[in-house]
Amino acid sequence: MSDKVTIYDVAKVAGVSPSTVSRTFAAPGRVSAETARKVQDAADAIGYHADPITSGRRHVNGKGLIAVIVPDLANPFFAAICRSVQDECSSRGFGMVVSESREVVARERIIFDEVLPYVRGVLLVSPRMPDVMIRKCAQLCPTVVVNRNVRGVPNVVIDISDAVKQAVRYFALMGYHRLTYIDGPSTSWVGGVKWRTISDECNARNISLKRSHPCAPTVDGGNVFVDEYLLNPTGAVIAYNDLMALGFVAGMRKRGYECPERFSVIGFDNDKLAALSNPSLTTIHMPAAALGSDAAAALLSRISGGDVPGTAVTVPARLVMRHSVGKAA
């Protein structure tokens, strides 16, 4: 980046004060998403990136630091990925920093630029940014995308096809002819993959399928959907993740509907809570540990100048059968 480009230039293009630009990059949580997006667009347009305080900061811990950017640290799936990445980094002499975008696209990019001066590479975990922005990030430093396929950028994804087929087949064997998919964030790439895979298998088995509006990928998100579901119940439900599935079960129970006597649910992820819930949750195991270790290995290889596959590295999902699916009423 040319040292002639400053925050004052960004402020002029964005139509905000220099202090707002500084606050956007230093403390993104203190500005609105709209302001953050306006500042980031202006910075991209004129080629501004925050300068490192010292060039040596990239190597403060052993061989250096990598950054892991996730949508939500409260989600057990992302926490498991981070733990696996940390284990892989520690074994190779690297340190790790973690930050969350809280599902805000503009903040995801701001965080990337914020950590860029201090790290040797970045793992973008389930990023919500558009592909073109991710490719732009990958041009700035070694980058690997996790749980999303972006053409031209090394990525590690989960192959859910066989597990989803087993889940839909299981519902069919239990006598269900209608199914609801509780969708996650509209910006989630893997959410689109889940929907298309479920839809294809339902079409193959002549099962009627409906899709919810985008819901928050949380317990509350599943709970909030209950009233909409009860307007046209299908009996069988697949949720975007386990948290939503558990929230849905809790919401249905409050309204007098027990699982699996009155309805059946399958989740995604296989969080620890899935096995401890009542009833224990049938779910599609998404191998977070393998995903994290493979992604970290790919990034560290890229940092070291090794070969990294240009196409997606895949790890398989599997169906875990427990007690949240019963026979159709």
Side-chain angles (χ1 to χ4, degrees), residues 49-133:
H49 297 287
D51 288 323
I53 295 175
T54 64
S55 60
R57 291 295 293 275
R58 290 173 181 260
H59 301 273
V60 294
N61 182 8
K63 295 180 180 178
L65 295 171
I66 71 163
V68 183
I69 304 174
V70 302
D72 180 11
L73 278 171
N75 187 316
F77 177 70
F78 297 129
I81 290 175
C82 289
R83 187 177 300 113
S84 180
V85 171
Q86 185 175 35
D87 289 343
E88 186 71 22
C89 287
S90 296
S91 71
R92 301 193 185 199
F94 282 81
M96 182 185 87
V97 293
V98 182
S99 188
E100 64 172 349
S101 66
R102 300 185 183 181
E103 301 283 354
V104 179
V105 172
R107 286 178 181 164
E108 195 170 64
R109 177 58 197 268
I110 288 169
I111 291 168
F112 184 96
D113 284 337
E114 190 175 38
V115 301
L116 184 60
Y118 309 108
V119 301
R120 299 188 64 193
V122 176
L123 287 179
L124 292 173
V125 181
S126 295
R128 308 313 193 199
M129 293 184 285
D131 285 8
V132 64
M133 190 177 292

Side-chain angles (χ1 to χ4, degrees), residues 122-183:
V122 176
L123 287 179
L124 292 173
V125 181
S126 295
R128 308 313 193 199
M129 293 184 285
D131 285 8
V132 64
M133 190 177 292
I134 292 173
R135 283 192 285 269
K136 186 179 294 185
C137 288
Q139 293 173 356
L140 300 175
C141 79
T143 301
V144 171
V145 177
V146 187
N147 209 32
R148 176 170 168 179
N149 194 332
V150 179
R151 190 177 70 253
V153 181
N155 54 85
V156 182
V157 298
I158 297 174
D159 182 359
I160 65 171
S161 56
D162 286 345
V164 167
K165 289 178 181 179
Q166 292 174 33
V168 175
R169 187 183 307 127
Y170 186 27
F171 276 137
L173 289 173
M174 299 301 280
Y176 292 97
H177 302 286
R178 302 174 66 221
L179 173 65
T180 296
Y181 172 59
I182 308 179
D183 204 1

Side-chain angles (χ1 to χ4, degrees), residues 1-296:
M1 184 203 76
S2 170
D3 57 9
K4 294 181 180 180
V5 182
T6 69
I7 63 171
Y8 297 97
D9 300 309
V10 177
K12 184 176 181 180
V13 174
V16 299
S17 68
S19 61
T20 297
V21 175
S22 177
R23 194 160 52 247
T24 298
F25 286 105
R30 296 177 59 194
V31 300
S32 69
E34 181 180 355
T35 298
R37 187 178 300 108
K38 185 187 300 183
V39 171
Q40 187 60 61
D41 287 346
D44 286 345
I46 62 177
Y48 174 82
H49 297 287
D51 288 323
I53 295 175
T54 64
S55 60
R57 291 295 293 275
R58 290 173 181 260
H59 301 273
V60 294
N61 182 8
K63 295 180 180 178
L65 295 171
I66 71 163
V68 183
I69 304 174
V70 302
D72 180 11
L73 278 171
N75 187 316
F77 177 70
F78 297 129
I81 290 175
C82 289
R83 187 177 300 113
S84 180
V85 171
Q86 185 175 35
D87 289 343
E88 186 71 22
C89 287
S90 296
S91 71
R92 301 193 185 199
F94 282 81
M96 182 185 87
V97 293
V98 182
S99 188
E100 64 172 349
S101 66
R102 300 185 183 181
E103 301 283 354
V104 179
V105 172
R107 286 178 181 164
E108 195 170 64
R109 177 58 197 268
I110 288 169
I111 291 168
F112 184 96
D113 284 337
E114 190 175 38
V115 301
L116 184 60
Y118 309 108
V119 301
R120 299 188 64 193
V122 176
L123 287 179
L124 292 173
V125 181
S126 295
R128 308 313 193 199
M129 293 184 285
D131 285 8
V132 64
M133 190 177 292
I134 292 173
R135 283 192 285 269
K136 186 179 294 185
C137 288
Q139 293 173 356
L140 300 175
C141 79
T143 301
V144 171
V145 177
V146 187
N147 209 32
R148 176 170 168 179
N149 194 332
V150 179
R151 190 177 70 253
V153 181
N155 54 85
V156 182
V157 298
I158 297 174
D159 182 359
I160 65 171
S161 56
D162 286 345
V164 167
K165 289 178 181 179
Q166 292 174 33
V168 175
R169 187 183 307 127
Y170 186 27
F171 276 137
L173 289 173
M174 299 301 280
Y176 292 97
H177 302 286
R178 302 174 66 221
L179 173 65
T180 296
Y181 172 59
I182 308 179
D183 204 1
S186 59
T187 52
S188 170
W189 175 85
V190 75
V193 173
K194 290 173 181 177
W195 164 251
R196 290 189 296 273
T197 309
I198 293 169
S199 180
D200 288 346
E201 188 61 21
C202 283
N203 287 336
R205 295 187 171 276
N206 200 28
I207 293 176
S208 174
L209 175 65
K210 71 172 187 174
R211 183 183 193 179
S212 78
H213 63 276
C215 300
T218 62
V219 170
D220 287 343
N223 201 323
V224 167
F225 177 68
V226 168
D227 287 335
E228 179 181 331
Y229 168 81
L230 288 174
L231 295 175
N232 184 19
T234 57
V237 173
I238 296 180
Y240 171 84
N241 66 15
D242 289 346
L243 295 178
M244 297 175 75
L246 296 175
F248 180 78
V249 170
M252 290 288 283
R253 178 173 290 136
K254 285 182 180 179
R255 291 159 179 80
Y257 298 89
E258 288 294 334
C259 175
E261 291 81 6
R262 301 288 298 278
F263 65 97
S264 294
V265 180
I266 294 177
F268 274 93
D269 288 349
N270 195 27
D271 298 334
K272 289 183 178 180
L273 290 175
L276 299 174
S277 63
N278 182 25
S280 57
L281 184 66
T282 295
T283 184
I284 293 175
H285 175 74
M286 303 286 273
L291 194 67
S293 61
D294 286 357

Side-chain angles (χ1 to χ4, degrees), residues 290-306:
L291 194 67
S293 61
D294 286 357
L299 179 61
L300 298 182
S301 176
R302 188 170 179 82
I303 290 171
S304 303

